[in-house]
């Protein structure tokens, strides 16, 4: 959606020393620096709006250190979340944060990414223990101290947290120490269709209130389900649907499943089915993760635009219903799906790239949705970040003093304004 | 331990407008400002080392907003964690972070506090959604935007995280929006004695690796157990001991308990007993929470000094064994206990206030312990903060670039250096 603006040059450093030298050189010469992970970001974060040098970090792709007993790992910026989990396969541990694309873990740090497992395991914010950062001038910062990988600390200001979600505007992340989790002993997936959006969201709230430790709870609207049925050969009802996943021992799973079924049935669910076998589970999640492509396939030749908001969970039903109405009023094709356990959802909009008027309506719709979320005490982005397109909404979200504080932070770490300029602020 | 240095004046503002006016007045006049919660901090955070005005926030003690469906609450700075949980009693929700003292929730934000439940529910860092902060000059900042209480966001820099653990040096926290959790349906406590420290810690690691969702896992050494037996009329073995707690449904608890028992027995535990009834559970936790006073009672007339470090969990056995030897070598009476599920532990030292030489040995011991933790990739404080006494250790922990970044952060928000001066940096 954000028109691609190429940099003046792309470089592929092999190690942190080279990144540091590059940063020092660019900074000294007044050249913009754009960090690049895997380019899957959805808010135009890697557009070189002022030209400059794109520092592509994909060649730094080593897993530097794995501490099984300490549940931690140190990765270079080219390692993706799938690559890490493949590496961990027989270790008994895994890294749960899973955006739909196979993004780089340091790119995920940079955008404050999350995904389907956040409701139980947290987002990147809760799963980063330490960062190695090349500051704009080339200096090397270890946000929690060199080589440290403790689980918690009260020592000084939280520098790690400052760089999570900074979208490449404060420095280049050259290594991340991440928190790992024990792999679940057993897993069960359930799908469940509802007569209304309200019934699906009410079930979500009740499941959370009953302290059922659900690992994933994803909402897919009727449009998404229709697209998934066609694209991934599912045979589900075309209705508001929840995909749920539970992790634990066999016995615990049976109990969780039973509770979830009771709760959804109390809310009028008309179809509840579960799958234990790895194959069937993979099929369902592959369908969920391909929803983007499934929706795209509804209108061949169209482009997809994904927007992302997050609200307090009690406000989900009203914003979802309003959004459906807005789509209809604007004559737009859009699918709604999301991580409802966190109050977070996306709208995937289809737009004819040849039709500037439709493009305009899509942008207006996206802004309206952001403002609806803000009016309900929510945020204009739950996980995709601000990038280029949501800078106005950020101002409305955090207010004048918040913006001023962010601007001073930026000026403190990047006084010449050369780190990924034009993003976030 | 930190000699009390009184401020020039103490004020008790009644509302945020008064806090803001006070801050503006002091700042304009070059007068130091010291925020005061309930004064239970252990690192001298409220000492007025340069005189000035202590802003005591205890009169602002309202629970401003409770959003049951959204699992969130907004509290003024005078509300303590016990007061909040009393208020929540019949709501089905609770706030799990529980330092041993009944501290104010905003003081807990300020120190990045945690406690016995952090292994399952996280520390303050993971449980603060938004903060209202009076900046040194009197301006009002809402770190996540006015009135917002979403569960996650990727919008701009993480200002909330910057103030958690800032120990009153960046601004006055006048309200906190906290994340609540569903109250556990049922609870069971177990205690378990071991032949060695190593066996107790190995059990901890194995329980975590087996993904048993333990809610609390506390270590108490032989000295602590002896003190608790005497002070709280327990009848436990005088040996390295774990106190465990599990939360869930009846059926889930039975399974968790059985697994924990198997694991501890594999590690040579010689006594495992569990308690389900509220009364017996309270008795055990009351003993744990009174450990400080129990240890003090070992030497009437002595004062207690508590130090706090955190290491990667695999390094716990060696640092605990070394610490025991250091105590012996230094001829000091000290008890070791802690939140071992996080790798965090405390050493409670007894010191004759009339004996400057012993005082000196205690300080030297505490510094040595901090350095041992640092050498094992740990932190010099897991939860008590830096305050006055650990500033040198902080420098060793985060290094020159880390310190420089923290100093610039401080200068950015507090250019005149008047917010709680002499602390942290
Ligand atoms: C089909 C699809 C599904 C998706 N689903 C999700 C989802 O469920 N949840 C979610 O959170 N996101 C999702 N995304 C968005 C995207 O995957 C995430 O934003 C991801 O974190 C981006 O990582 P990346 O490595 O591709 O970063 P890039 O796109 O390369 O960069 C993103 C931003 O981070 C900066 N950056 C990248 N690497 C670094 C670094 N090492 N140091 C400093 N700055 C850096 C860039 O400058 C840019 O501003 C999805 C995207 C697609 C295409
Ligand atoms: C017996 C005992 C057991 C303890 N156990 C634990 C434990 O298990 N875990 C743990 O983490 N801690 C523990 N502590 C330490 C203490 O309870 C925590 O540090 C607590 O968070 C301090 O809160 P307070 O309100 O008493 O803060 P205070 O002592 O009043 O202040 C502490 C610091 O925070 C600042 N501050 C306080 N309120 C504000 C505000 N509203 N805005 C800005 N700055 C503010 C002060 O300036 C000071 O620097 C224990 C203490 C005791 C005495």
């Amino acid at each position: 959606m954000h028109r691609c603006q190429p940099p003046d040059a792309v470089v592929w450093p092999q190690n942190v020393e080279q990144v540091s030298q590059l940063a020092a050189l660019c900074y000294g010469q007044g050249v913009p620096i754009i960090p690049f992970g895997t380019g899957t970001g959805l808010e135009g974060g890697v557009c070189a709006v002022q030209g400059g040098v794109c520092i592509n970090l994909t060649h730094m792709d080593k897993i530097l250190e794995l501490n099984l007993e300490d549940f931690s790992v140190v990765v270079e910026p080219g390692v993706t979340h799938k690559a890490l989990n493949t590496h961990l396969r027989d270790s008994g541990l895994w890294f749960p944060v899973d955006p739909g694309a196979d993004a780089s873990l340091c790119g995920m740090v940079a955008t404050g990414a999350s995904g389907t497992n956040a409701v139980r395991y947290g987002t990147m914010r809760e799963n980063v223990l330490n960062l190695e950062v090349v500051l704009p001038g080339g200096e090397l910062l270890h946000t929690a101290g060199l080589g440290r990988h403790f689980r918690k600390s009260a020592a000084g200001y939280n520098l790690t947290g400052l760089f999570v979600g900074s979208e490449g505007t404060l420095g280049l992340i050259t290594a991340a120490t991440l928190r790992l989790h024990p792999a679940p002993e057993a897993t069960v997936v359930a799908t469940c269709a509802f007569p209304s959006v309200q019934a699906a969201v009410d079930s979500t709230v009740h499941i959370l209130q009953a302290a059922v430790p659900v690992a994933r709870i994803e909402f897919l609207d009727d449009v998404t389900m229709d697209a998934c049925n066609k694209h991934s050969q599912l045979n589900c009802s075309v209705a508001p649907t929840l995909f749920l996943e539970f992790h634990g021992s066999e016995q615990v799973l049976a109990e969780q499943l039973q509770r979830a079924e009771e709760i959804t049935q109390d809310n009028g669910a008309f179809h509840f089915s579960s799958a234990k076998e790895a194959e069937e589970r993979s099929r369902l999640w592959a369908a969920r993760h391909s929803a983007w492509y499934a929706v795209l396939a509804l209108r061949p030749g169209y482009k997809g635009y994904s927007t992302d908001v997050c609200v307090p969970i009690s406000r989900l039903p009203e914003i979802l219903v309003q959004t459906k109405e807005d789509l209809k009023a604007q004559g737009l094709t859009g699918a709604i799906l999301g991580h409802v356990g966190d109050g977070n959802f996306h709208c995937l909009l289809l737009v004819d790239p040849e039709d500037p008027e439709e493009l305009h309506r899509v942008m207006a719709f996206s802004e309206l949705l952001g403002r609806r979320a803000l009016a309900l005490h929510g945020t204009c982005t739950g996980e995709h970040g601000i990038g280029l397109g949501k800078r106005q909404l950020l101002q409305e979200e955090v207010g004048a003093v918040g913006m001023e504080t962010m601007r001073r932070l930026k000026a403190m770490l990047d006084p010449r304004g050369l780190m990924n300029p034009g993003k976030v602020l």
Side-chain angles (χ1 to χ4, degrees), chain A:
Chain A
M1 203 60 172
H2 302 287
R3 226 166 12 103
C4 174
Q5 283 160 300
D8 298 310
V10 181
V11 285
W12 281 265
Q14 307 297 316
N15 54 49
V16 58
E17 290 75 27
Q18 290 183 358
V19 177
S20 170
Q21 284 163 10
L22 278 165
L25 196 67
C26 291
Y27 215 69
Q29 301 293 320
V31 174
I33 302 166
I34 302 108
F36 186 98
T38 49
T40 69
L42 294 169
E43 292 297 343
V46 296
C47 292
V49 284
Q50 300 178 15
V53 174
C54 172
I55 302 195
N56 183 313
L57 295 153
T58 44
H59 285 196
M60 292 171 63
D61 62 354
K62 283 192 283 301
I63 293 173
L64 297 174
E65 200 183 307
L66 175 59
N67 302 296
L68 290 177
E69 268 206 319
D70 296 328
F71 303 86
S72 76
V73 68
V74 185
V75 295
E76 284 191 332
V79 180
T80 67
H81 67 92
K82 282 192 190 151
L84 175 61
N85 280 323
T86 303
H87 185 84
L88 292 173
R89 192 176 283 148
D90 298 316
S91 70
L93 299 180
W94 72 311
F95 185 71
V97 188
D98 69 330
D102 189 20
S104 77
L105 290 156
C106 290
M108 289 162 59
V109 175
T111 61
S114 56
T116 61
N117 293 296
V119 63
R120 171 144 173 189
Y121 299 95
T123 72
M124 291 308 281
R125 290 204 198 276
E126 289 83 30
N127 287 289
V128 181
L129 303 175
N130 201 349
L131 293 172
E132 180 185 79
V133 179
V134 171
L135 295 175
E139 273 188 318
L140 200 59
L141 169 68
H142 294 93
T143 55
L146 178 62
R148 307 201 178 281
H149 58 278
F150 41 72
R151 172 109 174 238
K152 73 180 190 189
S153 171
Y157 307 140
N158 184 358
L159 300 182
T160 306
L162 189 58
F163 285 89
V164 179
S166 61
E167 300 189 46
T169 63
L170 302 179
L172 294 130
I173 300 164
T174 50
T177 307
L178 304 173
R179 179 173 166 194
L180 301 175
H181 295 260
E185 187 180 323
T187 300
V188 64
V189 173
T191 61
C192 183
F194 293 88
S196 67
V197 170
Q198 177 89 41
V201 178
D202 283 350
S203 300
T204 305
V205 174
H206 296 159
I207 287 170
L208 296 176
Q209 274 172 342
V212 181
V214 61
R216 292 166 147 175
I217 183 159
E218 295 284 303
F219 171 80
L220 299 88
D221 77 346
D222 51 346
V223 179
T224 311
M225 287 311 299
D226 183 37
C228 288
N229 278 343
K230 289 172 181 152
H231 184 80
S232 301
Q233 285 83 51
L234 296 187
N235 192 14
C236 295
S237 310
V238 176
T241 299
L242 291 178
F243 278 26
L244 299 117
E245 186 168 282
F246 305 95
H247 295 168
S249 67
E250 296 287 350
Q251 190 189 336
V252 162
L253 288 188
E255 195 196 63
Q256 291 181 17
L257 200 62
Q258 191 197 329
R259 290 200 161 199
E261 183 162 6
E262 281 162 18
I263 291 169
T264 53
Q265 248 137 38
D266 285 351
N267 284 295
F270 55 78
H271 188 80
F272 187 99
S273 76
S274 66
K276 262 195 179 162
E277 314 68 40
E279 208 178 314
E280 176 61 6
R281 287 192 280 113
S282 304
R283 208 170 72 90
L284 285 167
W285 286 115
R288 164 63 187 87
H289 277 137
S290 304
W292 167 268
Y293 306 99
V295 174
L296 269 182
L298 289 176
R299 292 228 176 168
Y302 275 46
K303 293 225 169 222
Y305 178 73
S306 167
T307 186
D308 149 60
V309 298
C310 181
V311 294
I313 199 166
S314 67
R315 315 311 290 271
L316 263 179
E318 65 195 276
I319 195 170
L320 290 173
V321 169
Q322 281 171 343
T323 302
K324 283 255 170 218
E325 282 166 13
D326 291 342
L327 284 171
K328 209 180 280 173
Q330 293 292 318
L332 293 169
T333 307
I336 297 176
L337 69 168
H339 318 308
V340 281
D342 300 322
N344 180 208
F345 69 94
H346 309 301
C347 190
L348 294 185
L349 294 150
L350 294 180
V351 53
D352 178 352
E354 308 296 311
D355 183 349
E357 192 275 329
E358 192 175 48
L359 204 71
H360 181 80
R361 269 184 295 139
V362 162
M363 300 306 278
F365 168 86
S366 165
E367 206 161 292
L368 176 67
L369 178 55
R371 294 222 163 84
R372 285 211 190 283
L374 294 182
L376 298 173
H377 309 298
T379 171
C380 67
T381 171
E383 53 182 33
H384 293 168
I386 297 296
L388 278 176
K390 289 193 167 169
R391 288 172 301 160
Q392 172 58 34
L393 290 172
L394 177 64
Q395 297 194 17
E396 297 170 26
E397 179 164 335
V398 301
V401 179
M403 282 311 291
E404 179 54 26
T405 308
M406 290 190 191
R407 283 201 194 97
R408 285 160 69 191
L409 267 171
K410 166 76 174 173
M412 177 197 113
L413 285 164
D414 176 20
R416 298 188 68 178
L418 296 172
M419 272 309 304
N420 206 3
K423 316 298 163 57
V424 182
L425 298 179

